Amino acid sequence: MKSFSESYKEAGVDITAGYKAVELMKSHIAKTLTKGAMSDIGGFGGLFELDLTGINKPVLVSGTDGVGTKLKMAFLMDKHDTVGIDCVAMCVNDIICCGAKPLFFLDYIAVGKNYPEKVAKIVKGVAEGCVQSGAALIGGETAEMPGFYPVDEYDLAGFSVGVVDKDKVLNNKTIKEGDVIVALKSSGVHSNGFSLVRKVFDVENANIKTPIAELSGKSIGETLLTPTKIYVKSALKVFDKITVKAVSHITGGGFYENIPRSLPHGFSAKIERDAVDVLPIFDLIAKTGSIAERDMFNTFNMGVGMIMVVNKEDADKTVEILNANGEDAYVLGEIVKGDEGVIIC
């Protein structure tokens, strides 16, 4: 006998909708399963068998994050199949900053009302993010919470675990003056700063679906929903051949907050302003909102989603490897002595 409660349904929670959502998402989840994934969706825990071949001292690295108020854009555009990529990206891009390879991912979706087809679209995006990062989607939770969320809205968060050999954890203590900073281009605003973005464009009241010349004919809504770039596979290719000293994932807080997090005391990042390949969306945000450049670099990625610090003699090879693996990479600046954190000049 299948589980069903008429009383629970009258209170706003439809158990059968949850079952249908799980069935609809199974085909997407199947695309993510890697060798270590052991469990079927629907159990009480996600199982993953560790393959420690070539790893002498395994260290687990975890990351958790959500999509934030970028979800408001998904609601306004009624497009729900890409925010899952953002959710995965915000976790796995953090994990690789330690030199680790993501192993698996779990998501958490809280909805005002469970519309199975919508939930399946969300999970489709999560699955795509997992495929892009090589992580298995081994579990998750969909919580129907009537009265807590509006019926057409939801929240989305996730959690990932990776592994790295202790001897290969990135060591910023080897950073020295003259080391080179390599930039990995972003795909757009990614998933940070959207409280400011939404205010600047007044997205709840403006027509965000009209094509804009400055955005190559795309609308503001379409441009802002561009998924966060996932750098895992290209970064791992670099780690295999180059001694990378530090990696920074440029998220909320922009250059000024995130780059210093990966630098040791006594060293700063000197960024060549003219070298920064600023994407058109950031120029439009600054112009529309009359936002000072200092604030832009302290809020957004400005077209740089990640940076790597390498020896000067390894810089060209690093850029070459990244570009050969689908990135748009270039030299952004260098490491200098000092405690300024970030110097943009």
Side-chain angles (χ1 to χ4, degrees), residues 151-170:
V151 294
D152 290 325
E153 296 190 1
Y154 56 85
D155 197 7
L156 173 62
F159 171 83
S160 188
V161 171
V163 66
V164 61
D165 195 310
K166 186 176 181 179
D167 294 333
K168 294 182 178 180
V169 174
L170 299 191

Side-chain angles (χ1 to χ4, degrees), residues 303-323:
V304 179
M306 182 165 282
I307 64 102
M308 292 182 175
V309 178
V310 298
N311 283 319
K312 185 176 183 178
E313 57 267 28
D314 291 330
D316 290 344
K317 184 64 175 178
T318 300
V319 170
E320 180 184 327
I321 295 170
L322 288 168
N323 289 341

Side-chain angles (χ1 to χ4, degrees), residues 213-266:
E214 295 100 310
L215 302 177
S216 301
K218 292 185 177 181
S219 68
I220 288 175
E222 184 182 4
T223 301
L224 292 177
L225 270 184
T226 301
T228 303
K229 188 82 168 64
I230 292 177
Y231 301 102
V232 171
K233 292 182 179 179
S234 55
L236 291 174
K237 292 289 186 181
V238 176
F239 297 161
D240 283 342
K241 298 180 179 180
I242 302 291
T243 299
V244 178
K245 301 183 177 185
V247 175
S248 291
H249 182 199
I250 313 302
T251 56
F255 282 42
Y256 288 103
E257 180 177 322
N258 290 287
I259 295 178
R261 293 169 63 184
S262 66
L263 302 180
H265 178 72

